[in-house]
Amino acid sequence: MEWKKNDRFTVTIGDLSEDGSGIGKLDGYIWFIKDTVIGDVVEAKVMKTKKSYGFARLERVVVPSEKRIVPACPVARQCGGCQLQAMRYEEGLRFKEKKVFENLRRIGGFNNLQFVDENGEREGTGQDCGASPGGIPFYPIIGMGEPWRYRNKAQIPFGLNKNGEIATGFYAGRTHTIIEHDDCLLGIEENQKILAIIKQYMRENRITPYDEEIHRGLVRHALIRKGFRTGELMVCLVINGRKLPAADKLVDKLCKLEGMTSISYCINTDDTNVILGREIVDLFGPGYITDYIGDVKYRISPQSFYQVNPVQTEKLYGTALEYAGLTGTETVWDLYCGIGTISLFLAQKAGRVYGVEAVPQAVADARENARLNSLTNVEFFEGRAEEVLPRMYAENHITADVIVVDPPRKGCDTACLDTIVKMAPSRVVYVSCDSATLARDLRYLCEEGYELEKVRCCDMFGWTGHVETVVQLSKGEIQSKKIRVDFS
Ligand code: SAH
């Protein structure tokens, strides 16, 4: 059958794609339909077709799946920030585990993964992906106790709504009209109060919101951050100008809020969609807030990178630390270390830790964080992991008992993996935000003699399709392989 745009059809959703779209099959043709749930029977409208698959829009749920729930957020569909709000949280977790499991099997070739419970026992896992007994344990995903209000950071755009009033929220797809929404359920409750104060201040002082189409208007974004452990709040207004008029009036109101610690503005007069500019002007407080992950203290300025879900980050890094198996004497390398979050976590239990990170500002923050925590057994190097590690291995004969990597989505460069193999640490701990590149890199390491010991996912971004994974590899046959090479 030839499908045309806006044709309607009814289909049963049988699966979910990598990004959480429902998949329905009709006469062998595959439809991707967002906002649907496995088990739904839906009526959908054709949007775009390709040879063997197409995209359709959900028009009506004819028979709801038993996994379906009413999204808690009233604008879940328009916003698009959350992909999984139409299914129970537990179902979202199952989806994430399955995605990682399938990628490791399909791309990594790990056919003997085995879902196990907390204790490593086979029973009670509920997933059935045809795993073989006695395989590599795949532990239950670390879910959130409370999957709402977990984000400690929000960057909220300002604009005008349809009535020409100052509004905050998000842009409706491909338009410049702001859909007003001041209470994202993933963000902190204080966001709403802070935005109301800023809008009132703007109205009273005739301050305009920015219009990105004509590059005019002053207030572009509000950056709001909170230290979950300390309760400290930060507000930074991003403006298209060099001065914030009547700033004292804004400060007077904002600093009455409990926990308000830092108020500033950031100058960004560039005509781009990069949110922050380089220059920050402090209006109130020291220019930073403080927070803790575990026992490690972090100083967070408007521009600092900091994990957005600190509660789950502590669990993820706790798992990485457990998988590193440290006794207090080891030499550990932490590649792609960012501001040193994992490095400092490890430094509490290791002999020495070396971090490598490409972004200079992050390295400066990492050093500052080490100093702040009086951790003297850690050292940071600036540069690309695939350049720093091979060079230091060749020139300085560096060694490692454990190597931890936490690369961006594209995974590790082969030059980096190669050097890891040459350094032959007893354990490699791989923390990943993209299970496809994780699977590819694990395959590489395992072909070079490493063995995949265990896998565990962690939900850092509930209701979205994202999932973090941490795995442990051990040396396996690398030593014997080396000997073979030596004799040949
Ligand atoms: N482990 C850190 C950050 C992980 S995010 C934390 O949890 O805080 C990945 C980091 O890798 C980013 O900080 C990014 O700047 C850095 N990065 C990206 N490519 C890199 C490369 N080729 N070499 C070293 N670092 C890199």
Side-chain angles (χ1 to χ4, degrees):
M1 156 145 194
E2 278 287 307
W3 293 100
K4 290 191 305 298
K5 197 172 169 170
N6 294 332
D7 278 352
R8 281 163 188 264
F9 60 92
T10 302
V11 69
T12 303
I13 302 300
D15 206 352
L16 285 183
S17 70
E18 282 265 310
D19 64 359
S21 272
I23 298 176
K25 275 192 198 158
L26 222 52
D27 303 328
Y29 192 82
I30 295 168
W31 288 107
F32 291 97
I33 310 167
K34 277 205 325 196
D35 309 302
T36 60
V37 173
I38 294 178
D40 278 346
V41 179
V42 300
E43 188 179 299
K45 195 164 85 175
V46 176
M47 283 161 43
K48 203 165 147 190
T49 53
K50 302 263 183 192
K51 201 162 162 238
S52 57
Y53 64 93
F55 299 91
R57 197 186 141 76
L58 170 66
E59 287 292 296
R60 191 166 67 92
V61 179
V62 183
V63 185
S65 160
E66 58 182 27
K67 300 180 163 120
R68 175 172 275 282
I69 53 168
V70 178
C73 173
V75 291
R77 268 189 86 179
Q78 285 158 292
C79 166
C82 294
Q83 297 84 41
L84 307 178
Q85 273 208 27
M87 71 178 94
R88 287 191 285 121
Y89 178 67
E90 285 298 319
E91 290 299 330
L93 293 180
R94 296 289 87 75
F95 161 73
K96 294 181 191 206
E97 282 182 329
K98 190 162 172 240
K99 174 161 107 172
V100 174
F101 189 102
E102 285 302 331
N103 275 338
L104 289 177
R105 184 155 73 168
R106 210 165 32 82
I107 303 168
F110 298 100
N111 292 316
N112 57 341
L113 287 164
Q114 171 70 65
F115 280 111
V116 297
D117 65 14
E118 290 291 337
N119 307 317
E121 307 283 336
R122 199 186 166 198
E123 292 124 28
T125 52
Q127 287 269 21
D128 183 15
C129 289
S132 60
I136 302 160
F138 192 109
Y139 284 87
I141 187 168
I142 306 169
M144 291 182 210
E146 170 53 53
W148 300 108
R149 307 254 178 235
Y150 60 78
R151 284 188 66 100
N152 60 10
K153 173 183 170 184
Q155 299 184 109
I156 303 144
F158 280 68
L160 293 175
N161 65 13
K162 278 191 241 142
N163 305 326
E165 296 153 348
I166 298 169
T168 48
F170 56 90
Y171 290 105
R174 284 179 251 118
T175 72
H176 290 272
T177 314
I178 286 246
I179 306 268
E180 282 184 274
H181 184 60
D182 289 347
D183 191 26
C184 169
L185 296 176
L186 305 191
I188 54 173
E189 275 165 355
E190 291 92 331
N191 286 340
Q192 219 176 346
K193 230 184 250 173
I194 292 170
L195 292 173
I197 291 175
I198 299 172
K199 279 190 266 189
Q200 194 192 357
Y201 147 81
M202 287 171 69
R203 282 192 298 269
E204 285 172 2
N205 296 282
R206 298 184 179 285
I207 291 168
T208 51
Y210 180 66
D211 182 335
E212 59 177 2
E213 211 162 4
I214 54 172
H215 189 46
R216 287 247 181 89
L218 191 67
V219 178
R220 299 174 75 131
H221 280 86
L223 164 68
I224 304 173
R225 297 182 111 159
K226 182 176 182 180
F228 276 18
R229 194 82 75 76
T230 57
E232 294 180 3
L233 278 172
M234 164 189 289
V235 176
C236 177
L237 271 195
V238 184
I239 61 170
N240 173 38
R242 296 206 54 85
K243 239 184 118 46
L244 187 67
D248 50 329
K249 296 207 171 116
L250 177 66
V251 172
D252 278 351
K253 291 240 172 70
L254 283 179
C255 69
K256 291 204 178 78
L257 293 178
E258 198 188 328
M260 189 56 66
T261 304
S262 160
I263 306 170
S264 60
Y265 67 87
C266 174
I267 298 167
N268 181 5
T269 53
D270 291 350
D271 189 4
T272 66
N273 54 12
V274 176
I275 295 180
L276 290 186
R278 265 192 222 109
E279 218 176 312
I280 306 270
V281 179
D282 287 322
L283 297 169
F284 171 82
Y288 59 83
I289 57 170
T290 305
D291 198 26
Y292 290 83
I293 295 179
D295 296 328
V296 184
K297 189 175 179 179
Y298 296 90
R299 185 175 286 186
I300 308 152
S301 65
Q303 285 135 322
S304 307
F305 171 84
Y306 187 62
Q307 292 284 355
V308 297
N309 182 340
V311 174
Q312 289 301 100
T313 299
E314 188 167 341
K315 295 180 192 163
L316 179 74
Y317 292 173
T319 308
L321 184 61
E322 180 197 326
Y323 286 10
L326 303 177
T327 60
T329 57
E330 291 82 359
T331 299
V332 185
W333 282 77
D334 176 22
L335 309 179
Y336 313 87
C337 69
I339 60 163
T341 330
I342 298 180
S343 318
L344 300 184
F345 224 69
L346 297 166
Q348 304 171 95
K349 301 271 165 65
R352 267 207 94 69
V353 179
Y354 300 100
V356 181
E357 162 62 42
V359 174
Q361 185 55 48
V363 176
D365 285 348
R367 289 179 181 141
E368 174 63 23
N369 286 328
R371 203 192 50 77
L372 198 65
N373 290 282
S374 310
L375 288 165
T376 51
N377 59 339
V378 42
E379 198 177 325
F380 295 98
F381 300 98
E382 184 186 314
R384 293 169 166 277
E386 61 273 23
E387 289 164 13
V388 172
L389 203 68
R391 191 178 66 232
M392 294 192 73
Y393 178 70
E395 290 171 7
N396 309 328
H397 312 292
I398 51 166
T399 60
D401 299 301
V402 179
I403 295 182
V404 179
V405 299
D406 181 11
R409 299 195 77 90
K410 68 174 198 258
C412 296
D413 192 280
T414 325
C416 176
L417 295 176
D418 254 346
T419 311
I420 293 176
V421 171
K422 283 188 194 136
M423 287 171 74
S426 309
R427 281 177 296 288
V428 174
V429 178
Y430 196 132
V431 182
S432 161
C433 56
D434 184 319
S435 54
T437 56
L438 169 70
R440 179 201 66 198
D441 291 349
L442 292 183
R443 179 176 203 136
Y444 187 95
L445 289 170
C446 290
E447 279 168 1
E448 296 297 327
Y450 272 92
E451 269 169 26
L452 182 56
E453 296 289 344
K454 43 189 158 182
V455 182
R456 182 151 209 184
C457 297
C458 181
D459 189 26
M460 303 267 275
F461 309 101
W463 309 107
T464 78
H466 299 289
V467 54
E468 298 277 323
T469 309
V470 49
V471 312
Q472 185 197 54
L473 295 146
S474 76
K475 205 155 52 177
E477 295 167 12
I478 281 195
Q479 285 303 3
S480 52
K481 186 173 157 185
K482 258 191 188 158
I483 293 165
R484 269 207 308 276
V485 172
D486 288 345
F487 280 116
S488 65

